[in-house]
Amino acid sequence: MSMDILQLLGTGIATVATPQNLLLLALGVLLGMVIGVMPGLGPSAGIAILLPLTFSLEPTSAIVMLAAIYYGSMYGGTITSVLINTPGESATVASTFDGYPLAQQGRAGPALVMAAGASFVAGTIGTLLITAAAPLLASLTSRFGPPELFLLVLAGLCTLIVIIGRNRVLGAISALIGFALATVGVDISGGEQRYTFGSPELINGIDFIPVAIGLFGLGELFHALYRGVHRESPRYTSVSPWKKGFWPNRSDLRESRAPMLRGSLLGFAVGTAPGAGATVASLLSYSVEKSLARKPEAFGKGAMPGLVAPEAANNAASSGAMIPLLTLGIPGSASTAILLGGFLMWGLQPGPLLMEQNPEFAWGLIASMYLGNVMLLVINLFCIPVFASIARVPFRMLAPIIIVLCTFGTYTVNGSMVEVGIMVACGVLGFFMRRYDLSPAALVIALVLGPIAEESLRQTMIISQGSPAIFVQRPASVVLLVLLGALAVLPAALRMARARLNRVPATPRGPRATT
């Protein structure tokens, strides 16, 4: 790292290391873990529901708390994955494969401690890579103009659609719904009202907060109720740091070092791709470790590397998702899409100029990730029994609390009952999207990026006097067009490759026939 980066990082640490910010950091980690422990909720829901708590704070303090909620909830889902075989959200599904078998063998303590260690190592590696890569990428993208920005938005959405879900058509439909919601309000060019239906409260458009709270808060809640979570009796495995066998042994540490490192690097690389997310990173890391293992048959039966690798990957991916957010202004996941909405709400525009125009804010966020990882590790090691006990609370008791939090949080933003109605409608929409494999993440990302895409496209057409040839006259635009073309043909190429492999006849064995 250059001295300039170290100096800026030192400035960020000084900004965060105030009593108020450290308290907010600890509070964010605790709240995030509580949200993560609740089945069906995850980082996206946690940030959306708790975002209104930050409105009275300074932007740096607010984003420090929200980022702490983000990576705190990532680990909270691991606790339920290991103890009761119920992932807190999709990114911790892979943690159930070997985490729950370890708990059944009486090794819940070592499993949770190793998962906490993997989260700390992956988060620290991810933050180091952010510190080194973000300034370089920001300086590169600072030369981008409206054409490149428009193509970047399309590339981010196309990446999300290609990677996420089983049906890419449904992913595209989800994104189009988000774009449609983004058109509500006043036309930025002509000043005419669009789709407001005479409501003065819709003149400024549909705020992302009621949409995000509805989709990820109420929507996830309705889907959990539909699956019958409220009828299940809570299962519980007792863990205590003061009991024998709670801490991992040397064998656990020895066999987990390499998977932890590989999972961290792989997760960060996957997380930097807009739309890939922690779920893809954790499942991919699990597959890689199983293929490299000397005893792959042990995976799924309580192999410590099978827990450590995906846990490191999903936490590193959450760090990697910050790269496109800070340097390009494009969220890498649903959680960072909500963070982007918070940035815009505080009058900050993430992108190439953020680190130049608001260095204290940007580097304060990066510094908070270093401090937050340390705080998360300490809290995890000694408070695991406390968070584990939350899993004993019946979901039928948690559901009314979540509904009240969603409603109260939405109403306190602007004091609007119309937005509460939008939140409820989006909750119903989120349920059906989960039910029929549509992508709430694609909808929210398109809603946040829609105005940016519209404005950059209008600016591009004004610059080129309406000629689309401008997209092939700039080197960066050409590179992005090639990327978009590759994303467009990638699904078809993968299908053709799989079909060709399926048609290849098995190689005959035995003696060759003689003529």
Side-chain angles (χ1 to χ4, degrees), residues 13 64 83 122 153 160 178 187 210 221-222 249 278 306 312 329 387 413 427 490 503:
I13 292 175
V64 163
L83 295 183
V153 171
L160 178 70
D187 188 333
L221 172 67
F222 293 158
N249 53 42
F387 293 108
V413 176
L490 180 61
R503 288 197 302 267

Side-chain angles (χ1 to χ4, degrees), residues 247-265:
W247 301 100
N249 53 42
R250 292 183 179 179
S251 176
D252 294 327
L253 297 172
R254 184 175 59 254
E255 65 183 3
S256 298
R257 284 179 300 188
M260 195 181 298
L261 180 60
R262 283 193 293 263
S264 301
L265 297 176

Side-chain angles (χ1 to χ4, degrees), residues 112 125 147 224 263 338 485:
L112 291 173
I125 291 175
I338 300 173

Side-chain angles (χ1 to χ4, degrees), residues 356-496:
E356 295 180 11
Q357 297 176 350
N358 303 96
E360 290 187 0
F361 177 84
W363 286 99
L365 172 59
I366 294 174
S368 74
M369 298 178 71
Y370 283 102
L371 299 177
N373 278 314
V374 176
M375 198 169 292
L376 184 64
L377 178 65
V378 174
I379 292 174
N380 280 335
L381 292 182
F382 296 101
C383 296
I384 284 175
V386 177
F387 293 108
S389 65
I390 298 176
R392 302 177 66 180
V393 180
F395 192 78
R396 61 181 178 272
M397 296 177 62
L398 296 175
I401 298 175
I402 296 171
I403 293 174
V404 171
L405 286 174
C406 291
T407 305
F408 181 75
T410 301
Y411 183 77
T412 54
V413 176
N414 295 311
S416 170
M417 288 304 297
V418 171
E419 291 190 346
V420 173
I422 292 173
M423 183 267 295
V424 174
C426 288
V428 176
L429 175 62
F431 164 74
F432 283 105
M433 293 184 77
R434 286 290 307 273
R435 180 77 178 85
Y436 297 104
D437 289 332
L438 277 81
S439 173
L443 190 156
V444 169
I445 291 177
L447 174 64
V448 173
L449 294 181
I452 301 174
E454 182 181 4
E455 182 178 2
S456 59
L457 180 60
R458 288 182 184 272
Q459 291 173 343
T460 300
M461 291 298 98
I462 291 173
I463 294 172
S464 65
Q465 298 181 347
S467 172
I470 189 173
F471 290 111
V472 296
Q473 293 171 351
R474 301 160 69 107
S477 296
V478 173
V479 172
L480 290 170
L481 282 174
V482 172
L483 174 61
L484 281 169
L487 289 171
V489 302
L490 180 61
L494 291 176
R495 284 196 300 270
M496 291 176 61

Side-chain angles (χ1 to χ4, degrees), residues 26-45:
L27 181 61
V29 169
L30 288 170
L31 290 175
M33 290 190 66
V34 170
I35 289 288
V37 167
M38 296 181 184
L41 300 181
S44 303

